Amino acid sequence: MVSVGTIVWLSSELMFFAALFAAYFTIRSVTTAAAAPGTETLWQASTEMLNVPFASVNTFILVASSFTCQAGVFAAEHGKVGRTGSLANIRAWGMREWFILTYLMGAVFIAGQVTEYAALIHEGLSISSSPYGSVFYLTTGFHGLHVTGGLIAFVYVLARTYMARKFTHEQAVSAIVVSYYWHFVDVVWIALFATIYLLK
């Protein structure tokens, strides 16, 4: 029931991000149509400020975190909550080690996003500077909030494993549900990255 409820909730989140995508393309279409023929559009001028290589590395880190998260889920499904050998032996890792690595990768992604925001604001692109700025910060900012929510969920799941005397089925379900959310956040970011940084 928890898994089904999570999937239903993620469906509503999908509608939320669909609305943000619709706003992005609508504002882009309107501002492009309003530009004088032969002149640089708002979108062309604004997207030149984006650091695509930096965003690509940040995207790779977030996408890779989906694989580490799933490795943690596989360990949880087998009741392997912690490592059984040396920390250097990745094959001996349990759910905790994989989830801690996933958490760190997600934190690096958020730090990268904050760094990018600081650079763009320094260049004059803020949420109130233009329609592009508004839609850029709204789409990427809400996604960043969702990633932060996922990081909090990882802390919650990890804390439960350390506080409980033994690893239970309910804890394994919690780990699986958090992975659903994390994979969803990663897929949404891939779509955002393609739309904002590649299509421009």
Side-chain angles (χ1 to χ4, degrees):
M1 289 300 293
V2 175
S3 297
V4 173
T6 302
I7 292 170
V8 171
W9 173 62
L10 290 178
S11 298
S12 69
E13 288 291 291
L14 183 62
M15 295 301 102
F16 172 77
F17 279 105
L20 290 178
F21 277 104
Y24 179 91
F25 284 111
T26 300
I27 294 172
R28 176 180 177 174
S29 175
V30 169
T31 55
T32 301
T39 62
E40 189 177 46
T41 66
L42 171 66
W43 240 248
Q44 290 171 333
S46 299
T47 54
E48 288 174 0
M49 291 186 270
L50 298 178
N51 188 342
V52 178
F54 180 83
S56 299
V57 172
N58 215 26
T59 298
F60 175 79
I61 292 170
L62 187 65
V63 171
S65 74
S66 251
F67 293 94
T68 60
C69 176
Q70 193 59 39
V73 169
F74 290 150
E77 289 175 339
H78 290 89
K80 192 176 178 182
V81 64
R83 62 188 170 90
T84 55
S86 167
L87 186 62
N89 183 9
I90 296 177
R91 291 189 176 192
W93 280 14
M95 186 203 76
R96 287 177 184 152
E97 289 73 30
W98 286 115
F99 272 19
I100 289 171
L101 179 58
T102 304
Y103 177 90
L104 292 174
M105 294 170 81
V108 168
F109 174 82
I110 291 296
Q113 197 170 34
V114 170
T115 302
E116 182 183 30
Y117 282 2
L120 289 172
I121 290 171
H122 181 72
E123 291 184 42
L125 182 67
S126 68
I127 195 168
S128 59
S129 64
S130 68
Y132 178 83
S134 297
V135 75
F136 172 82
Y137 286 107
L138 281 175
T139 53
T140 59
F142 273 115
H143 178 268
L145 287 175
H146 281 73
V147 173
T148 303
L151 296 180
I152 294 170
F154 280 121
V155 170
Y156 172 75
V157 170
L158 288 167
R160 284 185 69 187
T161 66
Y162 282 108
M163 292 169 65
R165 292 184 179 179
K166 65 176 184 177
F167 189 65
T168 63
H169 173 72
E170 288 74 18
Q171 291 180 48
V173 170
S174 296
I176 293 168
V177 165
V178 168
S179 77
Y180 290 167
Y181 177 82
W182 196 251
H183 295 321
F184 168 80
V185 165
D186 284 6
V187 170
V188 168
W189 178 253
I190 291 171
L192 280 173
F193 176 77
T195 300
I196 295 173
Y197 294 91
L198 300 182
L199 295 179
K200 295 187 176 183

